[in-house]
């Protein structure tokens, strides 16, 4: 291989690497798995906030990562589906606009804050989730988005979209 | 039940899978009478679109008979003959309220897979990758239809099964593409691609009042069908320059609007074809967007570019042409629920007969051969209707 061919090959490899990086960056949706997630739900703020204080409803929408049970007034236990990790939290309602899920241990910073704003033009309620780092168990960015999406579906339609028991030619049910 | 499944790139099989069941209260189970091949399926069959899993039942364009309904289904009854748009709508969210059904905010079970790719998730669709919901597809004896009251349209007696079949996807996609063009009486509309969607776009442009429609393809039998539907045609493989022919046909103005109905695996000629195939092979781009580029270049100043083809990552996208010529770019996955009842009227009036797309009518058991014929455009194939 002469110098020209070698140079050509190096340039080709460089172009391929850059193009691959660009493609991966675009495809991975940089920043989507972030600690801040948001959806707009076409229901009144009081109804939406009530939903997120109901442990059974939280279990429905966080079902992949945790079962949520009420352990007392404004208190919940999150049992994560992987491992034996549990998280006990207190739910604090602030100004009819914010729910803070804070660790029962005062010295722990772990928690989730949900903010609720009236959306413009009668579009319902904007829900903004801010998850601490480290997150409570597996409640990180994308699972939080999925839960918010499911919450919207449940509030708007009465059901969560599902493909469990989906027919396929493989052993898994999905 | 028997179903046509995707087992890998260019690896299809007809296998026995579990029957679907009612999962949610608004679900309906439809016994599939007819289901059809679609060009967009070829993108994941060929491996250009990821997101399928081994064993997935695919297919998204179908009609059939309701055999089971969920406890909260009110309008759809067992025994009703129905056509079902390929994208799944809830009719409760903001997007459905605005007739943007394929953008439905609640029907994608895998929204968390798709949102990072698109910024926000679309509706779910039957049998078209897990990012688009992972729902089992229609190339099967039975299919579960969520929100049956919204997504099942009772087919009137004067519409045949074969006509209703394409109201699931090819007709609404083509019709929406013409709708995007804001056609004023007498406009000239050029349509790239004379497959099922392109042919329905051409017919729909005439139904919207276009004075002339020009279909562009390279397959003689497809161009012949376009002419039967009322279009003029250009065989791009037989002319030196499509741009030149279009300029000549429009007095140098270019078509008032252009519809791209080809997508990411466009064929073309000359150096552009070599360039795109090389880059696609090296995975430097997912798309061969030759027809899209050509449509944008051909469109008259201030015109509309209506994009119906399926694309992934396109490079060499001529944004400068769009900007400097003041073009309007419009695109969407089809909002079928918006249009289906209009199609029944068109059929009754004799203005539309989508069944002309069927060149092959085969049992589902021959699904693998059907896709081979369809993919290679052999035996004059335009669409295969499969009977489970």
């Amino acid at each position: 291989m002469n110098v020209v061919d070698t140079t050509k090959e190096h340039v080709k490899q460089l172009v391929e690497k850059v193009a691959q990086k660009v493609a991966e960056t675009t495809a991975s949706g940089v920043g989507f798995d972030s600690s801040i997630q948001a959806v707009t739900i076409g229901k009144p703020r009081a109804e939406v906030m009530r939903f997120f204080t109901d442990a059974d409803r939280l279990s429905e929408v966080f079902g992949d990562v945790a079962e949520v049970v009420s352990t007392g007034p404004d208190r919940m236990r999150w049992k994560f589906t992987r491992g034996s990790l549990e998280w006990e939290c207190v739910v604090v309602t602030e100004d009819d606009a914010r729910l803070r899920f804070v660790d029962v241990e005062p010295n722990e910073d772990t928690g989730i804050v949900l903010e609720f704003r009236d959306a413009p033009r009668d579009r319902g309620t904007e829900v903004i989730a801010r998850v601490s780092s480290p997150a409570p168990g597996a409640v990180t960015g994308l699972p939080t988005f999925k839960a918010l999406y499911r919450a919207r579906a449940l509030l708007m339609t009465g059901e969560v979209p599902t493909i469990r028991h989906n027919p396929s030619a493989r052993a898994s049910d999905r | 039940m028997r179903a046509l499944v995707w087992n890998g790139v260019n690896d299809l099989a007809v296998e026995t899978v579990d029957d679907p069941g009612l999962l949610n209260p608004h679900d309906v189970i439809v016994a599939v009478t007819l289901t059809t091949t679609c060009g967009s399926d070829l993108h994941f069959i060929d491996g250009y679109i990821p997101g399928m899993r081994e064993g997935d039942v695919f297919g998204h364009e179908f009609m059939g008979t309701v055999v089971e309904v969920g406890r909260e289904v009110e309008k759809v009854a067992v025994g009703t003959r129905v056509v079902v748009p390929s994208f799944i709508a809830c009719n409760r969210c903001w997007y459905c309220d605005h007739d943007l059904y394929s953008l439905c905010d609640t029907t994608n079970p895998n929204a968390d897979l798709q949102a990072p790719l698109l910024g926000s998730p679309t509706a779910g669709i039957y049998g078209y990758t897990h990012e688009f919901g992972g729902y089992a597809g229609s190339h099967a004896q039975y299919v579960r239809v969520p929100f049956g009251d919204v997504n099942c349209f009772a087919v009137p007696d004067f519409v045949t099964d074969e006509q209703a079949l394409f109201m699931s996807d090819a007709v609404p996609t083509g019709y929406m593409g013409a709708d995007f063009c804001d056609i004023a009486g007498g406009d000239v509309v050029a349509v790239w691609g004379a497959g099922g969607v392109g042919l329905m776009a051409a017919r729909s442009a005439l139904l919207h009042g276009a004075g002339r429609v020009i279909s562009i393809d390279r397959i003689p039998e497809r161009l012949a069908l376009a002419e039967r539907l009322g279009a003029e045609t250009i065989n791009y493989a037989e002319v030196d320059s499509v741009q030149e022919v279009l300029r000549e046909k429009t007095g140098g103005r270019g078509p008032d609007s252009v519809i791209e109905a080809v997508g990411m695996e466009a064929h073309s000629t000359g150096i552009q074809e070599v360039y795109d195939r090389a880059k696609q092979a090296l995975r430097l781009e997912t798309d061969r967007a030759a027809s899209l580029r050509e449509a944008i270049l051909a469109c008259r100043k201030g015109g509309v570019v209506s994009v119906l083809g399926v694309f992934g990552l396109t490079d060499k996208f001529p944004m400068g042409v769009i900007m400097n010529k003041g073009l309007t770019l419009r695109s969407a996955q089809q909002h079928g629920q918006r249009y289906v009842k209009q199609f029944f009227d068109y059929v009754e009036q004799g203005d539309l007969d989508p069944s002309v797309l069927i060149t092959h009518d085969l049992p589902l058991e021959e699904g693998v051969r059907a896709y081979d014929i369809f993919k290679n455009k052999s035996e004059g194939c335009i669409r295969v209707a499969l009977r489970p």
Side-chain angles (χ1 to χ4, degrees), chain A residues 16 19 26-29 32 123 142 145-146 149 152-153 156-157 159-164 166-170 174, chain B residues 15 18 23-26 53-56 92 94 105-108 110 115-117 119 133-134 136 144 147 284:
Chain A
E16 281 182 22
T26 308
S28 66
F32 208 90
R123 292 184 66 167
L142 276 176
F145 171 75
K146 188 168 192 171
Y149 184 94
R152 176 170 58 200
M156 301 295 294
T157 73
E159 61 184 53
V160 171
T162 181
I163 53 168
R164 69 181 190 276
N166 210 29
S168 75
R170 59 177 174 269
R174 294 189 60 178
Chain B
E15 298 191 19
D18 290 342
L23 300 178
N24 274 328
H26 300 101
R53 293 180 58 194
E54 182 179 350
D56 277 340
R92 304 278 177 86
W94 187 89
D105 242 350
T106 73
T107 59
N108 189 336
N110 291 328
L117 303 174
R144 177 175 75 96
F147 300 105
L284 297 176

Short mmCIF file of all heavy atoms in Angstrom, two decimals, chain A residues 16 19 26-29 32 123 142 145-146 149 152-153 156-157 159-164 166-170 174, chain B residues 15 18 23-26 53-56 92 94 105-108 110 115-117 119 133-134 136 144 147 284:
data_model
loop_
_atom_site.label_atom_id
_atom_site.label_comp_id
_atom_site.label_asym_id
_atom_site.label_seq_id
_atom_site.Cartn_x
_atom_site.Cartn_y
_atom_site.Cartn_z
N GLU A 16 -15.72 7.54 8.78
CA GLU A 16 -16.66 6.54 9.29
C GLU A 16 -16.89 6.72 10.79
O GLU A 16 -18.01 6.64 11.28
CB GLU A 16 -16.14 5.13 9.00
CG GLU A 16 -16.38 4.69 7.57
CD GLU A 16 -15.90 3.25 7.33
OE1 GLU A 16 -15.78 2.49 8.30
OE2 GLU A 16 -15.64 2.93 6.17
N ALA A 19 -18.96 9.87 11.38
CA ALA A 19 -20.35 9.65 10.96
C ALA A 19 -21.07 8.74 11.94
O ALA A 19 -22.23 8.96 12.29
CB ALA A 19 -20.39 9.05 9.57
N THR A 26 -27.29 11.23 17.52
CA THR A 26 -28.63 11.60 17.12
C THR A 26 -29.63 10.56 17.58
O THR A 26 -30.68 10.88 18.13
CB THR A 26 -28.71 11.73 15.58
OG1 THR A 26 -27.66 12.60 15.18
CG2 THR A 26 -30.03 12.28 15.15
N ALA A 27 -29.25 9.29 17.36
CA ALA A 27 -30.20 8.21 17.65
C ALA A 27 -30.42 8.02 19.15
O ALA A 27 -31.48 7.58 19.57
CB ALA A 27 -29.70 6.91 17.04
N SER A 28 -29.43 8.35 19.95
CA SER A 28 -29.59 8.08 21.38
C SER A 28 -30.36 9.19 22.08
O SER A 28 -30.73 9.05 23.24
CB SER A 28 -28.22 7.91 22.03
OG SER A 28 -27.52 9.13 21.99
N GLY A 29 -30.64 10.28 21.37
CA GLY A 29 -31.43 11.33 21.99
C GLY A 29 -30.74 11.88 23.22
O GLY A 29 -31.16 11.66 24.35
N PHE A 32 -32.12 12.72 27.02
CA PHE A 32 -33.48 12.31 27.30
C PHE A 32 -33.59 11.54 28.61
O PHE A 32 -34.59 11.61 29.29
CB PHE A 32 -34.08 11.49 26.15
CG PHE A 32 -35.57 11.66 26.10
CD1 PHE A 32 -36.14 12.67 25.35
CD2 PHE A 32 -36.40 10.86 26.86
CE1 PHE A 32 -37.51 12.87 25.35
CE2 PHE A 32 -37.77 11.06 26.86
CZ PHE A 32 -38.32 12.06 26.11
N ARG A 123 -55.20 23.25 28.11
CA ARG A 123 -54.60 21.96 27.76
C ARG A 123 -54.35 21.10 28.99
O ARG A 123 -53.66 20.10 28.91
CB ARG A 123 -53.32 22.18 26.95
CG ARG A 123 -53.64 22.75 25.57
CD ARG A 123 -52.43 22.88 24.70
NE ARG A 123 -51.86 21.59 24.36
CZ ARG A 123 -50.96 21.42 23.42
NH1 ARG A 123 -50.54 22.45 22.72
NH2 ARG A 123 -50.46 20.23 23.16
N LEU A 142 -35.62 7.73 32.32
CA LEU A 142 -36.56 7.10 31.39
C LEU A 142 -37.71 6.38 32.09
O LEU A 142 -38.86 6.48 31.66
CB LEU A 142 -35.83 6.17 30.42
CG LEU A 142 -35.23 6.87 29.20
CD1 LEU A 142 -34.44 5.90 28.35
CD2 LEU A 142 -36.29 7.57 28.36
N PHE A 145 -40.13 8.99 32.88
CA PHE A 145 -40.90 9.41 31.70
C PHE A 145 -41.99 8.40 31.39
O PHE A 145 -43.14 8.76 31.10
CB PHE A 145 -39.97 9.58 30.49
CG PHE A 145 -40.76 9.81 29.21
CD1 PHE A 145 -41.36 11.02 28.97
CD2 PHE A 145 -40.94 8.77 28.30
CE1 PHE A 145 -42.12 11.22 27.83
CE2 PHE A 145 -41.69 8.96 27.16
CZ PHE A 145 -42.29 10.19 26.92
N LYS A 146 -41.62 7.12 31.43
CA LYS A 146 -42.60 6.07 31.12
C LYS A 146 -43.78 6.13 32.10
O LYS A 146 -44.94 5.98 31.70
CB LYS A 146 -41.93 4.69 31.17
CG LYS A 146 -42.80 3.57 30.67
CD LYS A 146 -41.99 2.30 30.46
CE LYS A 146 -42.79 1.26 29.69
NZ LYS A 146 -41.96 0.11 29.29
N TYR A 149 -45.96 9.06 31.22
CA TYR A 149 -46.73 8.74 30.00
C TYR A 149 -47.92 7.85 30.35
O TYR A 149 -49.04 8.06 29.91
CB TYR A 149 -45.80 8.04 29.00
CG TYR A 149 -46.45 7.73 27.65
CD1 TYR A 149 -46.34 8.61 26.59
CD2 TYR A 149 -47.18 6.55 27.46
CE1 TYR A 149 -46.93 8.33 25.35
CE2 TYR A 149 -47.77 6.26 26.24
CZ TYR A 149 -47.64 7.16 25.19
OH TYR A 149 -48.23 6.87 23.99
N ARG A 152 -50.62 9.71 32.19
CA ARG A 152 -51.46 10.48 31.25
C ARG A 152 -52.47 9.55 30.58
O ARG A 152 -53.66 9.89 30.47
CB ARG A 152 -50.58 11.16 30.20
CG ARG A 152 -51.40 11.88 29.13
CD ARG A 152 -50.53 12.75 28.25
NE ARG A 152 -49.49 11.98 27.59
CZ ARG A 152 -48.39 12.49 27.08
NH1 ARG A 152 -48.17 13.79 27.16
NH2 ARG A 152 -47.49 11.73 26.48
N ALA A 153 -51.98 8.38 30.13
CA ALA A 153 -52.89 7.44 29.46
C ALA A 153 -54.02 7.02 30.39
O ALA A 153 -55.19 6.98 30.00
CB ALA A 153 -52.10 6.22 28.96
N MET A 156 -56.41 9.94 31.01
CA MET A 156 -57.17 10.37 29.82
C MET A 156 -58.11 9.29 29.30
O MET A 156 -59.17 9.59 28.77
CB MET A 156 -56.20 10.77 28.69
CG MET A 156 -55.24 11.89 29.02
SD MET A 156 -56.05 13.46 29.32
CE MET A 156 -56.72 13.82 27.72
N THR A 157 -57.68 8.03 29.40
CA THR A 157 -58.44 6.96 28.72
C THR A 157 -58.94 5.88 29.66
O THR A 157 -59.75 5.04 29.24
CB THR A 157 -57.56 6.26 27.65
OG1 THR A 157 -56.59 5.44 28.30
CG2 THR A 157 -56.87 7.26 26.75
N GLU A 159 -57.05 3.51 30.79
CA GLU A 159 -56.22 2.29 30.66
C GLU A 159 -54.79 2.65 30.29
O GLU A 159 -54.51 3.73 29.76
CB GLU A 159 -56.83 1.33 29.63
CG GLU A 159 -56.95 1.88 28.24
CD GLU A 159 -57.66 0.90 27.29
OE1 GLU A 159 -58.77 0.44 27.61
OE2 GLU A 159 -57.08 0.60 26.24
N VAL A 160 -53.89 1.71 30.58
CA VAL A 160 -52.47 1.87 30.26
C VAL A 160 -52.18 1.03 29.01
O VAL A 160 -52.56 -0.14 28.97
CB VAL A 160 -51.59 1.39 31.44
CG1 VAL A 160 -50.12 1.35 31.05
CG2 VAL A 160 -51.80 2.29 32.65
N PRO A 161 -51.53 1.61 27.99
CA PRO A 161 -51.25 0.80 26.80
C PRO A 161 -50.32 -0.35 27.16
O PRO A 161 -49.38 -0.18 27.94
CB PRO A 161 -50.57 1.78 25.85
CG PRO A 161 -49.98 2.83 26.72
CD PRO A 161 -50.91 2.95 27.90
N THR A 162 -50.59 -1.51 26.61
CA THR A 162 -49.80 -2.68 26.99
C THR A 162 -49.64 -3.64 25.83
O THR A 162 -50.47 -3.68 24.93
CB THR A 162 -50.47 -3.43 28.16
OG1 THR A 162 -49.66 -4.56 28.51
CG2 THR A 162 -51.86 -3.94 27.79
N ILE A 163 -48.53 -4.37 25.86
CA ILE A 163 -48.35 -5.47 24.91
C ILE A 163 -48.00 -6.76 25.66
O ILE A 163 -47.39 -7.66 25.10
CB ILE A 163 -47.27 -5.17 23.84
CG1 ILE A 163 -45.96 -4.75 24.51
CG2 ILE A 163 -47.75 -4.13 22.85
CD1 ILE A 163 -44.78 -4.72 23.55
N ARG A 164 -48.40 -6.82 26.92
CA ARG A 164 -48.16 -8.08 27.63
C ARG A 164 -48.98 -9.19 26.95
O ARG A 164 -50.05 -8.93 26.42
CB ARG A 164 -48.48 -7.96 29.12
CG ARG A 164 -49.94 -7.81 29.45
CD ARG A 164 -50.13 -7.68 30.96
NE ARG A 164 -51.53 -7.79 31.30
CZ ARG A 164 -52.40 -6.78 31.25
NH1 ARG A 164 -51.99 -5.59 30.87
NH2 ARG A 164 -53.67 -6.97 31.56
N ASN A 166 -48.34 -10.52 24.26
CA ASN A 166 -48.38 -10.22 22.83
C ASN A 166 -48.05 -11.48 22.03
O ASN A 166 -47.04 -12.12 22.30
CB ASN A 166 -47.30 -9.17 22.55
CG ASN A 166 -47.64 -8.26 21.42
OD1 ASN A 166 -48.80 -8.00 21.15
ND2 ASN A 166 -46.61 -7.76 20.76
N PRO A 167 -48.89 -11.86 21.07
CA PRO A 167 -48.54 -13.05 20.28
C PRO A 167 -47.21 -12.86 19.55
O PRO A 167 -46.99 -11.83 18.93
CB PRO A 167 -49.68 -13.16 19.26
CG PRO A 167 -50.80 -12.37 19.84
CD PRO A 167 -50.17 -11.28 20.64
N SER A 168 -46.33 -13.84 19.64
CA SER A 168 -45.08 -13.81 18.89
C SER A 168 -44.54 -15.22 18.82
O SER A 168 -44.96 -16.08 19.59
CB SER A 168 -44.05 -12.89 19.54
OG SER A 168 -43.51 -13.50 20.70
N ALA A 169 -43.59 -15.42 17.93
CA ALA A 169 -43.00 -16.75 17.79
C ALA A 169 -41.73 -16.85 18.63
O ALA A 169 -40.68 -17.26 18.17
CB ALA A 169 -42.70 -17.01 16.32
N ARG A 170 -41.81 -16.42 19.88
CA ARG A 170 -40.70 -16.59 20.82
C ARG A 170 -41.29 -16.87 22.19
O ARG A 170 -42.47 -16.62 22.43
CB ARG A 170 -39.78 -15.36 20.85
CG ARG A 170 -40.48 -14.09 21.25
CD ARG A 170 -39.52 -12.90 21.33
NE ARG A 170 -40.26 -11.69 21.59
CZ ARG A 170 -40.74 -10.90 20.64
NH1 ARG A 170 -40.49 -11.16 19.38
NH2 ARG A 170 -41.45 -9.83 20.96
N ARG A 174 -43.25 -10.76 25.53
CA ARG A 174 -43.17 -9.45 24.88
C ARG A 174 -42.27 -9.54 23.68
O ARG A 174 -41.26 -9.11 23.54
CB ARG A 174 -42.73 -8.38 25.84
CG ARG A 174 -43.81 -8.18 26.89
CD ARG A 174 -43.58 -7.00 27.76
NE ARG A 174 -43.53 -5.77 26.98
CZ ARG A 174 -43.38 -4.58 27.53
NH1 ARG A 174 -43.31 -4.47 28.81
NH2 ARG A 174 -43.33 -3.49 26.79
N GLU B 15 -45.56 -19.13 11.12
CA GLU B 15 -45.43 -20.01 12.29
C GLU B 15 -46.74 -20.00 13.09
O GLU B 15 -47.62 -19.17 12.87
CB GLU B 15 -44.27 -19.56 13.17
CG GLU B 15 -42.92 -19.62 12.45
CD GLU B 15 -41.74 -19.44 13.38
OE1 GLU B 15 -41.91 -19.63 14.60
OE2 GLU B 15 -40.65 -19.12 12.88
N ASP B 18 -49.42 -17.84 19.77
CA ASP B 18 -50.62 -17.74 20.62
C ASP B 18 -51.66 -16.82 19.99
O ASP B 18 -51.31 -15.85 19.32
CB ASP B 18 -50.25 -17.20 22.00
CG ASP B 18 -49.45 -18.19 22.81
OD1 ASP B 18 -49.47 -19.39 22.45
OD2 ASP B 18 -48.80 -17.77 23.78
N LEU B 23 -56.99 -7.41 26.58
CA LEU B 23 -56.14 -7.01 27.70
C LEU B 23 -56.68 -5.79 28.42
O LEU B 23 -56.59 -5.68 29.63
CB LEU B 23 -54.72 -6.72 27.20
CG LEU B 23 -53.98 -7.86 26.52
CD1 LEU B 23 -52.60 -7.40 26.04
CD2 LEU B 23 -53.81 -9.03 27.49
N ASN B 24 -57.24 -4.87 27.67
CA ASN B 24 -57.79 -3.64 28.24
C ASN B 24 -59.28 -3.56 27.94
O ASN B 24 -59.77 -4.19 26.98
CB ASN B 24 -57.05 -2.42 27.66
CG ASN B 24 -55.79 -2.09 28.45
OD1 ASN B 24 -55.74 -2.31 29.66
ND2 ASN B 24 -54.79 -1.57 27.78
N PRO B 25 -60.01 -2.77 28.72
CA PRO B 25 -61.48 -2.78 28.59
C PRO B 25 -62.01 -2.26 27.25
O PRO B 25 -63.13 -2.58 26.88
CB PRO B 25 -61.95 -1.89 29.75
CG PRO B 25 -60.75 -1.18 30.24
CD PRO B 25 -59.57 -2.01 29.91
N HIS B 26 -61.21 -1.47 26.53
CA HIS B 26 -61.69 -0.95 25.24
C HIS B 26 -61.18 -1.78 24.06
O HIS B 26 -61.35 -1.39 22.90
CB HIS B 26 -61.25 0.51 25.06
CG HIS B 26 -61.76 1.44 26.11
ND1 HIS B 26 -60.99 1.88 27.17
CD2 HIS B 26 -62.98 2.01 26.28
CE1 HIS B 26 -61.70 2.68 27.94
NE2 HIS B 26 -62.91 2.77 27.44
N ARG B 53 -37.92 -7.61 16.82
CA ARG B 53 -37.32 -8.70 17.60
C ARG B 53 -37.71 -10.01 16.95
O ARG B 53 -38.80 -10.15 16.38
CB ARG B 53 -37.82 -8.66 19.04
CG ARG B 53 -37.32 -7.44 19.79
CD ARG B 53 -37.85 -7.46 21.22
NE ARG B 53 -37.44 -8.66 21.93
CZ ARG B 53 -37.97 -9.06 23.09
NH1 ARG B 53 -38.91 -8.33 23.65
NH2 ARG B 53 -37.57 -10.17 23.66
N GLU B 54 -36.80 -10.97 17.07
CA GLU B 54 -37.05 -12.28 16.47
C GLU B 54 -38.41 -12.82 16.93
O GLU B 54 -38.72 -12.83 18.12
CB GLU B 54 -35.94 -13.25 16.87
CG GLU B 54 -36.10 -14.63 16.26
CD GLU B 54 -34.95 -15.55 16.66
OE1 GLU B 54 -33.96 -15.07 17.24
OE2 GLU B 54 -35.06 -16.76 16.40
N GLY B 55 -39.21 -13.24 15.96
CA GLY B 55 -40.51 -13.81 16.29
C GLY B 55 -41.66 -12.82 16.23
O GLY B 55 -42.82 -13.20 16.43
N ASP B 56 -41.37 -11.54 15.95
CA ASP B 56 -42.45 -10.54 15.90
C ASP B 56 -43.42 -10.82 14.75
O ASP B 56 -43.01 -11.03 13.60
CB ASP B 56 -41.88 -9.14 15.69
CG ASP B 56 -41.40 -8.51 16.99
OD1 ASP B 56 -41.83 -8.96 18.06
OD2 ASP B 56 -40.59 -7.56 16.91
N ARG B 92 -59.05 10.56 22.95
CA ARG B 92 -59.26 11.29 24.21
C ARG B 92 -58.18 12.37 24.41
O ARG B 92 -58.38 13.27 25.21
CB ARG B 92 -59.18 10.34 25.40
CG ARG B 92 -60.15 9.18 25.33
CD ARG B 92 -61.53 9.58 25.80
NE ARG B 92 -62.47 8.49 25.68
CZ ARG B 92 -62.64 7.55 26.60
NH1 ARG B 92 -61.92 7.56 27.69
NH2 ARG B 92 -63.53 6.59 26.41
N TRP B 94 -55.15 15.36 23.34
CA TRP B 94 -55.14 16.62 22.56
C TRP B 94 -54.93 16.34 21.08
O TRP B 94 -55.58 16.95 20.23
CB TRP B 94 -54.03 17.54 23.10
CG TRP B 94 -54.04 18.91 22.50
CD1 TRP B 94 -54.72 20.00 22.97
CD2 TRP B 94 -53.34 19.34 21.33
NE1 TRP B 94 -54.49 21.08 22.15
CE2 TRP B 94 -53.64 20.71 21.15
CE3 TRP B 94 -52.49 18.71 20.43
CZ2 TRP B 94 -53.11 21.46 20.09
CZ3 TRP B 94 -51.97 19.45 19.37
CH2 TRP B 94 -52.28 20.81 19.21
N ASP B 105 -51.25 10.61 22.01
CA ASP B 105 -50.37 10.74 23.18
C ASP B 105 -50.46 9.58 24.16
O ASP B 105 -49.81 9.63 25.20
CB ASP B 105 -50.75 12.03 23.93
CG ASP B 105 -49.61 13.03 23.97
OD1 ASP B 105 -48.49 12.67 23.58
OD2 ASP B 105 -49.85 14.17 24.39
N THR B 106 -51.26 8.55 23.87
CA THR B 106 -51.48 7.55 24.92
C THR B 106 -51.34 6.09 24.47
O THR B 106 -51.49 5.20 25.31
CB THR B 106 -52.89 7.70 25.55
OG1 THR B 106 -53.85 7.23 24.63
CG2 THR B 106 -53.19 9.12 25.95
N THR B 107 -51.11 5.81 23.20
CA THR B 107 -51.24 4.41 22.74
C THR B 107 -49.92 3.70 22.45
O THR B 107 -49.92 2.62 21.88
CB THR B 107 -52.12 4.32 21.48
OG1 THR B 107 -51.53 5.11 20.45
CG2 THR B 107 -53.53 4.79 21.76
N ASN B 108 -48.80 4.31 22.84
CA ASN B 108 -47.51 3.65 22.57
C ASN B 108 -46.97 3.01 23.85
O ASN B 108 -46.46 3.71 24.73
CB ASN B 108 -46.50 4.65 22.01
CG ASN B 108 -45.24 3.98 21.51
OD1 ASN B 108 -44.91 2.87 21.95
ND2 ASN B 108 -44.54 4.62 20.62
N ASN B 110 -44.35 1.46 24.35
CA ASN B 110 -42.90 1.62 24.45
C ASN B 110 -42.48 3.05 24.19
O ASN B 110 -41.46 3.31 23.54
CB ASN B 110 -42.21 0.67 23.46
CG ASN B 110 -42.35 -0.78 23.85
OD1 ASN B 110 -42.41 -1.11 25.05
ND2 ASN B 110 -42.42 -1.66 22.88
N ALA B 115 -39.19 7.90 22.47
CA ALA B 115 -39.03 9.32 22.77
C ALA B 115 -37.59 9.81 22.60
O ALA B 115 -37.36 10.90 22.06
CB ALA B 115 -39.55 9.62 24.17
N PRO B 116 -36.58 9.03 23.04
CA PRO B 116 -35.22 9.52 22.84
C PRO B 116 -34.84 9.69 21.37
O PRO B 116 -33.97 10.49 21.04
CB PRO B 116 -34.35 8.43 23.50
CG PRO B 116 -35.25 7.79 24.48
CD PRO B 116 -36.61 7.80 23.85
N LEU B 117 -35.48 8.93 20.49
CA LEU B 117 -35.16 9.02 19.06
C LEU B 117 -35.86 10.20 18.40
O LEU B 117 -35.31 10.84 17.51
CB LEU B 117 -35.58 7.73 18.34
CG LEU B 117 -34.99 6.43 18.87
CD1 LEU B 117 -35.62 5.24 18.16
CD2 LEU B 117 -33.48 6.43 18.68
N GLY B 119 -37.76 12.70 20.21
CA GLY B 119 -38.03 13.86 21.06
C GLY B 119 -39.33 13.71 21.82
O GLY B 119 -39.45 14.13 22.96
N GLY B 133 -44.26 0.76 19.41
CA GLY B 133 -45.25 0.16 20.30
C GLY B 133 -45.08 -1.32 20.52
O GLY B 133 -45.47 -1.85 21.55
N GLY B 134 -44.57 -2.02 19.53
CA GLY B 134 -44.36 -3.46 19.70
C GLY B 134 -45.63 -4.28 19.60
O GLY B 134 -45.63 -5.48 19.92
N ALA B 136 -48.46 -6.68 18.23
CA ALA B 136 -48.47 -7.75 17.23
C ALA B 136 -49.19 -7.26 15.98
O ALA B 136 -50.16 -6.50 16.06
CB ALA B 136 -49.16 -8.98 17.80
N ARG B 144 -55.38 -8.03 18.00
CA ARG B 144 -56.01 -7.23 19.06
C ARG B 144 -55.99 -5.75 18.65
O ARG B 144 -54.93 -5.22 18.30
CB ARG B 144 -55.25 -7.39 20.39
CG ARG B 144 -55.81 -6.51 21.51
CD ARG B 144 -55.11 -6.80 22.84
NE ARG B 144 -53.77 -6.25 22.92
CZ ARG B 144 -53.47 -5.07 23.50
NH1 ARG B 144 -54.42 -4.33 24.04
NH2 ARG B 144 -52.23 -4.64 23.54
N PHE B 147 -58.85 0.29 21.81
CA PHE B 147 -59.85 1.33 21.57
C PHE B 147 -60.70 1.01 20.33
O PHE B 147 -60.73 1.75 19.35
CB PHE B 147 -59.19 2.71 21.46
CG PHE B 147 -58.43 3.10 22.70
CD1 PHE B 147 -57.04 3.06 22.73
CD2 PHE B 147 -59.11 3.46 23.85
CE1 PHE B 147 -56.34 3.38 23.88
CE2 PHE B 147 -58.42 3.78 25.02
CZ PHE B 147 -57.03 3.75 25.03
N LEU B 284 -23.16 5.04 6.65
CA LEU B 284 -22.93 6.46 6.87
C LEU B 284 -24.22 7.25 6.75
O LEU B 284 -24.28 8.42 7.07
CB LEU B 284 -21.89 6.98 5.85
CG LEU B 284 -20.51 6.35 5.98
CD1 LEU B 284 -19.58 6.86 4.88
CD2 LEU B 284 -19.90 6.66 7.34
#
